[in-house]
Amino acid sequence: MTQEHQGGTRGWSAARKGVWSRLRFTSLRLRLVVVFGLVALTAAVSASGIAYWLNREAVLTRTQDAVLRDFEQEMQNRAGALPEHPTQDELQRTAGQMANSGQRFTVLLVAVGPDGRTVYGSSGGLNGFSLQDVPDSLREAVTERQKITSNHKSPHRLYWQRTVDGDTPYLVAGARVVGGGPTGYMLKSLEPEAKDLNSLAWSLGIATGLALIGAALLAHAAATTVLKPVQRLGVAARRLGEGKLDTRLRVSGTDELADLSRTFNKAAEALEKRVADMAARDEASRRFVADMSHELRTPLTAITAVTEVLEEELEFEGGGIDPMIEPAVRLVVSETRRLNDLVENLMEVTRFDAGTARLVLDDVDIADQITACIDARAWLDAVDLVAERGIHARIDPRRLDVILANLIGNALKHGGSPVRVAVREDITGRTDSAQGAEDAEGAQGAGDGGTVVIEVRDHGPGIPEEVLPHVFDRFYKASASRPRSEGSGLGLSIALENAHIHGGEITAANSPEGGAVFTLRLPRDVSAQSPSEKTGDSGDEGAEGDA
């Protein structure tokens, strides 16, 4: 895959993630748009529904009243002029005349003919409007006699009903002629009014949709206006978390978001000042330790030379030292060595804190390096080494010697002999600080990748659980559970720093079989973990110490 294609793929993926992050249901932007949309939809639907219902009732009532008024007038004028027992022809002719009124409805007249039979007259012909098209409830209401009141002088009244035949709505009405005569029924199609109402419904629906779209656009614009300062605040907070303490927000306006930006700027300014003060004090503290260590080295050199002379006198068989002061001389020699180790450890710690510690890399055989460390300190009889020759690594030999000296020395002091040192390879493993540094395609085999694992185990009482999290802390001593140590409390801390500078790690635990186990993991090739192999001041060799 080419770099251009990879870049395009990553850009598309980032853009897709950006869009999805804006559209996910936990997004405040989406929630604002949804809420605005629901409010607009509810308002538009409610307004459209009310408007449709009011217009529907107004249109139907207006048409209905006009038709019923015209029908009632035609019944009084034309049907009322018929004889009490008209013929079918008279009914047919009158029904046609009534249908030709301004409202254009269909009329059916029913009466008793001269021969006593029921005769019908329809304006729609023989196959037009018939009595079967009139609802039974309406026919019963028309023929039923009602009580005469002050408002209704006739026992028969005008009744109407809306029906639907297929998809077409109709208005059906019926009445009897006052004072006796035929019964008339009217059928009026409301299809024009229904079409007008459908058009109105479509118009209201379109208006509702446009209102919803407009509300969504307005919500998006409002969300952008509200969330843009929040997004800037989030970006500024991330930059602040990354250590860019000079990050500030541009403040405009007098609203709550502007107050929040001002509060953020004040907090960032106070944090920057506090961190600057702490950094200055820390730098002063490191400089003091470094200066003190350097200043102590000059008198220590002279004191060390004197103690070496005194030590030679102690070892002289002729008895060059008065037996009365021999214990004091031995104490001076021991404490001078301890003071010298402390100064050297402080110098080493100062280099780590100042970031001036550098690696001097070399290809070494791990087994030979451990053997040399043990032999130099006369620990061959107290250490059981389990390591195959041929396990090579590109590391800093001096710093590995410091790590091993501290781990094995602490095991001997606090756990007793024999101390077991085991070496193994982990081809696929990676240390915590080196994970993700290499791509899987970069592994060339056992010689170019993987991890070297060195385990140092003693057979002592182990480390108490409450002490385990603190064994690598500076100047920490588990005096409550271990004998008094003559070390400075910096040994394990320096060992851990040396492991970290290699891209490795040291862990402490208790073995199920008893005793403490310190596990050192180092990458096989440290130069592969850093841009280039660095050389520099390796410093004086750190003295052994304990936690």
Side-chain angles (χ1 to χ4, degrees):
M1 181 182 294
T2 63
Q3 293 183 354
E4 290 79 6
H5 183 67
Q6 289 178 348
T9 303
R10 286 195 295 268
W12 178 82
S13 177
R16 183 181 61 179
K17 290 180 180 179
V19 172
W20 175 246
S21 66
R22 290 193 296 269
L23 294 180
R24 65 182 187 275
F25 287 103
T26 57
S27 170
L28 182 58
R29 182 188 302 272
L30 180 60
R31 282 184 286 175
L32 285 174
V33 172
V34 170
V35 169
F36 269 78
L38 289 177
V39 171
L41 181 63
T42 303
V45 169
S46 300
S48 299
I50 294 174
Y52 177 79
W53 181 78
L54 292 176
N55 280 275
R56 179 178 180 274
E57 290 300 317
V59 170
L60 292 180
T61 300
R62 184 173 60 252
T63 303
Q64 173 182 295
D65 292 345
V67 171
L68 293 178
R69 187 169 53 251
D70 195 7
F71 174 68
E72 187 176 16
Q73 185 176 1
E74 291 293 328
M75 284 292 295
Q76 293 176 0
N77 295 337
R78 299 186 182 276
L82 290 173
E84 185 177 358
H85 300 287
T87 63
Q88 185 174 2
D89 292 339
E90 292 176 334
L91 288 178
Q92 193 76 25
R93 184 173 57 255
T94 303
Q97 293 174 351
M98 293 174 63
N100 290 328
S101 66
Q103 296 298 325
R104 297 292 179 178
F105 43 72
T106 304
V107 178
L108 172 66
L109 296 177
V110 182
V112 178
D115 55 359
R117 293 185 305 172
T118 302
V119 293
Y120 302 92
S122 176
S123 62
L126 296 178
N127 296 325
F129 183 38
S130 63
L131 196 60
Q132 287 74 20
D133 297 327
V134 180
D136 295 338
S137 58
L138 182 62
R139 281 185 289 170
E140 293 176 358
V142 170
T143 57
E144 185 179 357
R145 296 178 64 87
Q146 302 292 335
K147 292 182 179 181
I148 298 175
T149 62
S150 58
N151 296 327
H152 299 282
K153 306 298 185 181
S154 172
H156 299 285
R157 301 166 189 169
L158 175 66
Y159 294 94
W160 58 271
Q161 185 175 343
R162 294 173 189 167
T163 61
V164 178
D165 186 7
D167 293 333
T168 305
Y170 291 93
L171 175 66
V172 183
R176 294 192 67 175
V177 176
V178 178
T183 300
Y185 296 97
M186 178 273 300
L187 179 68
K188 171 67 176 179
S189 174
L190 299 177
E191 185 175 4
E193 287 75 14
K195 289 182 179 180
D196 293 340
L197 293 175
N198 288 335
S199 299
L200 177 62
W202 274 103
S203 300
L204 293 175
I206 294 174
T208 300
L210 294 176
L212 183 61
I213 295 174
L217 294 176
L218 290 176
H220 180 73
T224 300
T225 304
V226 173
L227 295 180
K228 193 173 182 179
V230 177
Q231 291 174 348
R232 288 201 299 264
L233 182 62
V235 173
R238 283 193 295 271
R239 289 172 58 87
L240 200 64
E242 293 170 357
K244 301 175 181 178
L245 301 181
D246 58 342
T247 301
R248 298 292 185 272
L249 290 173
R250 181 173 54 85
V251 181
S252 60
T254 58
D255 55 6
E256 289 80 0
L257 292 175
D259 292 339
L260 180 61
S261 299
R262 293 189 185 92
T263 303
F264 175 86
N265 289 340
K266 292 179 181 178
E269 184 178 355
L271 179 62
E272 184 181 16
K273 183 179 179 181
R274 179 68 61 85
V275 171
D277 293 342
M278 293 177 62
R281 287 195 296 268
D282 188 54
E283 179 63 25
S285 176
R286 284 200 302 266
R287 188 163 51 250
F288 170 76
V289 173
D291 294 343
M292 181 190 68
S293 301
H294 279 288
E295 292 297 328
L296 286 176
R297 294 185 75 176
T298 300
L300 267 179
T301 302
I303 295 173
T304 302
V306 173
T307 55
E308 288 177 355
V309 174
L310 292 176
E311 190 174 12
E312 291 177 358
E313 291 292 333
L314 287 173
E315 295 175 356
F316 183 62
E317 295 181 357
I321 300 296
D322 188 345
M324 296 296 294
I325 64 172
E326 181 178 344
V329 172
R330 292 188 181 276
L331 178 62
V332 169
V333 171
S334 175
E335 292 301 319
T336 300
R337 288 177 178 173
R338 183 182 177 192
L339 180 59
N340 190 65
D341 292 343
L342 176 61
V343 171
E344 295 298 336
N345 286 337
L346 287 175
M347 292 288 295
E348 190 73 3
V349 168
T350 303
R351 294 189 189 96
F352 284 119
D353 290 344
T356 59
R358 295 292 184 268
L359 296 176
V360 181
L361 302 181
D362 192 10
D363 292 324
V364 299
D365 187 299
I366 299 299
D368 291 343
Q369 187 70 23
I370 298 176
T371 302
C373 175
I374 296 173
D375 185 39
R377 292 161 180 83
W379 290 340
L380 288 176
D381 296 335
V383 177
D384 182 14
L385 177 60
V386 181
E388 296 182 1
R389 296 186 180 277
I391 301 178
H392 290 270
R394 185 167 182 77
I395 57 178
D396 187 330
R398 187 195 69 82
R399 295 190 182 277
L400 177 60
D401 183 80
V402 173
I403 297 173
L404 295 173
N406 278 288
L407 295 181
I408 299 174
N410 274 274
L412 290 172
K413 289 178 183 178
H414 304 298
S417 61
V419 172
R420 184 176 183 273
V421 180
V423 181
R424 60 183 173 87
E425 296 179 89
D426 187 358
I427 303 300
T428 59
R430 294 291 185 272
T431 59
D432 292 340
S433 59
Q435 284 183 349
E438 296 181 19
D439 190 86
E441 298 177 356
Q444 301 295 330
D448 296 331
T451 305
V452 175
V453 182
I454 303 174
E455 291 183 354
V456 179
R457 177 190 168 193
D458 61 43
H459 293 80
I463 305 174
E465 294 297 327
E466 66 274 10
V467 175
L468 273 175
H470 306 286
V471 293
F472 295 105
D473 294 350
R474 295 177 181 178
F475 300 105
Y476 183 83
K477 296 182 182 180
S479 57
S481 58
R482 290 185 176 184
R484 181 183 182 275
S485 170
E486 296 181 355
S488 62
L490 292 173
L492 289 180
S493 174
I494 292 175
L496 182 63
E497 294 289 351
N498 279 299
H500 284 168
I501 200 174
H502 281 86
E505 186 60 74
I506 303 177
T507 56
N510 289 315
S511 174
E513 301 174 0
V517 179
F518 286 84
T519 304
L520 168 65
R521 294 178 179 270
L522 295 177
R524 293 287 297 273
D525 188 359
V526 177
S527 61
Q529 310 295 326
S530 56
S532 62
E533 179 179 325
K534 296 182 179 179
T535 61
D537 180 20
S538 61
D540 296 331
E541 184 170 344
E544 302 151 26
D546 59 2

